[in-house]
Amino acid sequence: MNVAIIGSFPKGKYSVSTKLGIEKKKELSQYLADLIKNNRKESFHFLCRCDNSFNQMACMVILELEEHFLNSEITLEIALPFKVNEDDLEENEIFRYEQILYLADEVTVVDSIYKYKNPFELEGKYSDKKLEKCNEYLIDCSDLVVFYSSEYYGSTVNALNYARSINRNNVNIHKGVNYGYRDYRVGSI
């Protein structure tokens, strides 16, 4: 099963090391562990970005699950919107970013794939459109999309809307937010 994870923490509210960030990591870890346990016969290919605190946390959770479920086939693909310049990352994110890229089974630079490339965008530079195309790549390659969003706008919500438009199975693991989409809880998909 191909599972994409897309999310973001509200600016300034969480980081991986805060109490709330640790809580969110536990929630995501529990959801994914239950998904793996309930679908033991499946192999899991997780797809994730690695360009912000939430996505780095998600990657770390997947790497921990690889260790925990040694008898399961679990792989991690990192999808980068573009070849990231480390100058664009916060200082505390650089080490995690490098470590995750090293440990990932596969790294894909999405703006190098013709279908997702925009010829009018500068190579190697951030843009909202590149982020959107990266999220589309994650969703296009997945059977299930796990979202984390406490907001009603932004790139994560745009990705959710895209997933809905192509009828992709999806779940928002943030408690208390309901966008009116099909809510697939833990169980057999």
Side-chain angles (χ1 to χ4, degrees), residues 53-116:
S53 290
F54 175 83
N55 291 314
Q56 287 184 356
M57 179 200 68
C59 292
M60 292 186 304
V61 165
I62 294 162
L63 293 169
E64 289 168 8
L65 290 172
E66 278 184 326
E67 297 276 324
H68 183 74
F69 292 98
L70 291 175
N71 296 331
S72 298
E73 188 176 328
I74 298 172
T75 58
L76 172 61
E77 176 182 350
I78 303 299
L80 301 174
F82 57 92
K83 192 166 172 67
V84 175
N85 180 347
E86 289 181 5
D87 295 339
D88 295 335
L89 296 172
E90 292 185 28
E91 193 172 318
N92 64 337
E93 295 175 330
I94 294 172
F95 176 74
R96 276 195 309 267
Y97 173 79
E98 290 174 346
Q99 183 181 30
I100 291 166
L101 290 185
Y102 177 76
L103 294 171
D105 298 290
E106 188 177 344
V107 177
T108 303
V109 179
V110 175
D111 81 345
S112 67
I113 300 171
Y114 183 76
K115 177 180 177 181
Y116 300 97

Side-chain angles (χ1 to χ4, degrees), residues 152 157 160-161 164 170 172 176-184:
Y152 292 93
V157 175
L160 171 63
N161 290 334
R164 290 177 68 196
N170 59 81
N172 184 2
V177 176
N178 184 347
Y179 300 99
Y181 56 87
R182 292 186 313 235
D183 189 7
Y184 290 90

Side-chain angles (χ1 to χ4, degrees), residues 12 33-34 63 75 97 127 133 143 162-163:
D34 289 347
L63 293 169
T75 58
Y97 173 79
S127 77
K133 289 295 183 184
D143 303 305
Y162 176 73

Side-chain angles (χ1 to χ4, degrees), residues 82 111 117 121-125 130:
F82 57 92
D111 81 345
K117 190 171 189 68
E121 298 280 344
L122 293 174
E123 236 177 272
K125 296 290 181 192
K130 285 183 182 182

